[in-house]
Amino acid sequence: MAEQSRPRAPPAGSTWAGGHAVPGAGPQGPPRSRAAAPGPLWSRRCRYLRTGRACCQMVQALLAVLILVCASVSCGPPGGYTGLPDLGGIYYYQYGGAYSGFSGADGEKARELDQRFYLLKLPVARAAMAAGGCLLAGSCVLLSVGVLRLPRRFPAWLLLECALDVVVAMGMVPALYYYFHFLLEVYNSSVCKEREQLYQSKGYQGFRCSLHAAEVAVGLWGCVAAMAYLLSAGLAARAYTAVRTLKQKPVQLE
């Protein structure tokens, strides 16, 4: 009888009637909930993508792609003049007999001028494409560093990021100046003038020695990118102040 009156110990993982867990009991819940532990870690890393700095860096990457594309369009194809037999009947009827006025020596002259004009513009276009590629790579690196939460462990990185943003924003001004300066030199060259006169003599008006829409777009996207880098520098300085304040709080409480 005495053995029957003894209270039975609850099984492992169970709770008392009051809802309190038994000390030493095993973890509660299905095993799948414990196996999904990396989820919160990944969500904390992706939380950076919703910050202002991450948005600025993504905008910088997009602007770098636009600069790269517009600079490549501005360079144009290297083939030069193409005669009507090489284009076929579809091109002839679609563009109203384009290049049909050139034949013999005029066609060879147009091909030569196109190739020389292309070689004149090639260094400027390559420099613009290289600048766009460097901006794209730098934005992707900064975005990856933020996702990996490196600035929280090393706050000095935020000062370096702020300095880099300021240098890029300030360097964008002389870069755009020299870009348009060399382009205008190309358009004011004798090759471009002779090419324009040759095409105008046959009634073609799309070969003027002036800036194209893609080249103007490079300057526009460059100005927007400079403002985005300045904004990113301010956000990086603000983030550095916030991180330093959080790290100094335990010292102040002591």
Side-chain angles (χ1 to χ4, degrees):
M1 298 295 291
E3 294 180 356
Q4 296 178 357
S5 61
R6 291 179 181 177
R8 297 182 179 179
S14 62
T15 57
W16 294 101
H20 300 286
V22 178
Q28 301 180 11
R32 292 183 180 178
S33 63
R34 298 194 302 270
L41 178 61
W42 179 249
S43 65
R44 286 197 299 269
R45 287 182 177 180
C46 290
R47 192 180 305 169
Y48 173 74
L49 299 178
R50 298 195 296 264
T51 62
R53 283 174 48 233
C55 291
C56 282
Q57 290 163 0
M58 287 187 285
V59 169
Q60 292 164 11
L62 176 60
L63 293 173
V65 172
L66 292 175
I67 292 174
L68 186 62
V69 171
C70 292
S72 63
V73 170
S74 171
C75 186
Y81 167 77
T82 302
L84 182 61
D86 299 328
L87 298 176
I90 297 178
Y91 191 94
Y92 180 85
Y93 289 110
Q94 182 177 358
Y95 291 92
Y99 296 104
S100 59
F102 293 103
S103 60
D106 289 340
E108 293 296 330
K109 185 66 174 179
R111 186 188 302 274
E112 178 186 355
L113 290 175
D114 283 345
Q115 292 178 350
R116 291 173 62 186
F117 181 71
Y118 168 79
L119 293 177
L120 286 177
K121 290 184 66 176
L122 185 60
V124 185
R126 282 183 174 177
M129 287 188 288
C134 292
L135 293 178
L136 178 60
S139 300
C140 293
V141 169
L142 293 179
L143 191 61
S144 301
V145 168
V147 171
L148 295 176
R149 302 172 66 86
L150 182 63
R152 286 187 175 272
R153 293 189 291 268
F154 304 100
W157 172 264
L158 291 170
L159 292 179
L160 178 61
E161 181 179 333
C162 178
L164 288 175
D165 290 338
V166 172
V167 169
V168 173
M170 294 295 102
M172 197 72 69
V173 178
L176 290 176
Y177 169 78
Y178 284 109
Y179 174 74
F180 287 109
H181 174 72
F182 287 115
L183 273 181
L184 291 177
E185 284 187 351
V186 172
Y187 286 126
N188 291 327
S189 63
S190 59
V191 175
C192 183
K193 297 296 183 182
E194 185 178 359
R195 176 174 175 267
E196 180 184 11
Q197 291 176 1
L198 179 62
Y199 279 103
Q200 283 183 351
S201 64
K202 301 300 181 180
Y204 303 118
Q205 303 296 328
F207 301 89
R208 297 178 181 177
C209 294
S210 58
L211 294 175
H212 297 170
E215 297 161 353
V216 176
V218 170
L220 177 62
W221 300 133
C223 294
V224 177
M227 292 186 290
Y229 275 98
L230 286 178
L231 179 59
S232 180
L235 293 175
R238 182 180 178 182
Y240 174 77
T241 304
V243 172
R244 292 289 297 176
T245 302
L246 290 176
K247 286 185 175 293
Q248 291 175 359
K249 275 186 178 181
V251 180
Q252 293 176 358
L253 291 176
E254 291 177 1

